[in-house]
Structures are given as structure tokens and as C-alpha cells.
Amino acid sequence: MTDKRFRVGAAVAAMSVAAGVCALAGAPATAAPAPNPPGSSDIVGALNSGSAQADRATGGALGQIAGLLDQIGLGSSGPLAGPSGPPQVQQCNASTQSGEDGITDTIHKLGRRGPATFQLSYETYDVPDRIVVSYQGRQVYDTGYVGDANRAGQGTGSVRVSIPAGTADSVLVRVYGGTDTRWDYTVSCPS
């Protein structure tokens, strides 16, 4: 009986966290997240900690909640999670950004302002990953989650990305890496 009550309590806690994060998702991008109410714990922080990873590996309740949040996109690698650090800066054509699990932000210097068009070439291999390109804070391209595990060859692509008129000479590329994944991409200089 105790185990059943704990599972129900854990599910309610996960739904409460999910509802709170969904409410924050509707807030303007410049709004800071609301602090935790007095007396509450940072459940998402606990779920994203190493203890949640260990609990996930052993099948414990905390790991099950973390897994549930990951599945619905609210966990440590979902679309509402943030990058693990400040964005790197790369020149177009200079190198290929590559990475693994989690969210990676990279600023790519294009050498000119918009309007412009450039080539984005990517390889997400087996595990589906998502690549989003933004210009001046606005999304201009989204691959969606693509990977060869979905359909052979789907993880390999090359597309022309157009940016509108603007004052910035760079784009931000955010990659949402899945679990146990690897990926790489190249931003070519505008032609």
C-alpha cells in the first residue's frame, strides 16, 4: 500500500512540475522563471541530478519520474530545458560543430547581415536529434527530430536556410541531442 501511495504522490508531483513548466513556456522569452514557492523543493533540479540518473538506472521512482519528464519534453534534454553552458562561437565554413546528449547552443558568424541564404548540412546518425536555427531571436528553420533510427537516411540532410533582413551577422544553432547520441553539422557561408 505504501508503494502505491508513493507512486501516486510521485505522479502528482511530476504532473505539478509539468504544469508549472508549461505555464512558464507561455511566458515571454524575456521573463525570468518564477522562484519556487516557500517550502517547496526543486524537484526538476533533483530529477536532473546524478541521483536521478542513478535512480533511473536502477528503476527507482525518482528515475521513473525523470524518464516520464524526458518523454514529454520537460526533462533535462527536452525542448524546454536549457543548454549546458554559454554558446560557442564559430565562423561559417570554418569547422563542423559536433556533440552528444543534451542541448548545445552555437553562434555561427556569417560575415554579413540578413537578408541572406546559407547551406546547413547535418548528420544525426541513429538517435533522432533536433536542430533549430534562429536569427535575431526568431526561429528560421527547424529539422524536427530526425535520425536514421526513424528511417534509414533520415538523419542526413542538407537544406538552404534563409534569414530575413536584419542587423545581426550571425545565427544561433541549437541542437537538442537525445540520449546516447552523436551528431554534427556545418553552417556554410552565405553565397
Side-chain angles (χ1 to χ4, degrees), residues 76-161:
S76 60
S77 62
L80 297 177
S84 58
Q88 297 179 21
V89 178
Q90 290 183 293
Q91 296 296 321
C92 58
N93 284 347
S95 64
T96 298
Q97 173 65 43
S98 61
E100 297 177 355
D101 300 2
I103 298 174
T104 304
D105 280 356
T106 306
I107 296 171
H108 293 272
K109 295 294 208 170
L110 299 176
R112 63 182 282 192
R113 293 182 256 176
T117 302
F118 64 90
Q119 193 78 22
L120 170 68
S121 303
Y122 59 88
E123 174 62 67
T124 60
Y125 304 99
D126 290 331
V127 177
D129 303 300
R130 178 180 175 204
I131 302 171
V132 176
V133 180
S134 298
Y135 179 68
Q136 293 189 173
R138 297 182 65 165
Q139 181 178 308
V140 293
Y141 184 76
D142 186 346
T143 63
Y145 282 93
V146 292
D148 293 338
N150 292 349
R151 188 177 71 226
Q154 184 185 20
T156 304
S158 184
V159 296
R160 304 273 307 153
V161 177

Side-chain angles (χ1 to χ4, degrees), residues 60-90:
L62 188 59
Q64 290 173 358
I65 295 169
L68 172 66
L69 291 174
D70 284 345
Q71 287 176 7
I72 62 173
L74 301 175
S76 60
S77 62
L80 297 177
S84 58
Q88 297 179 21
V89 178
Q90 290 183 293

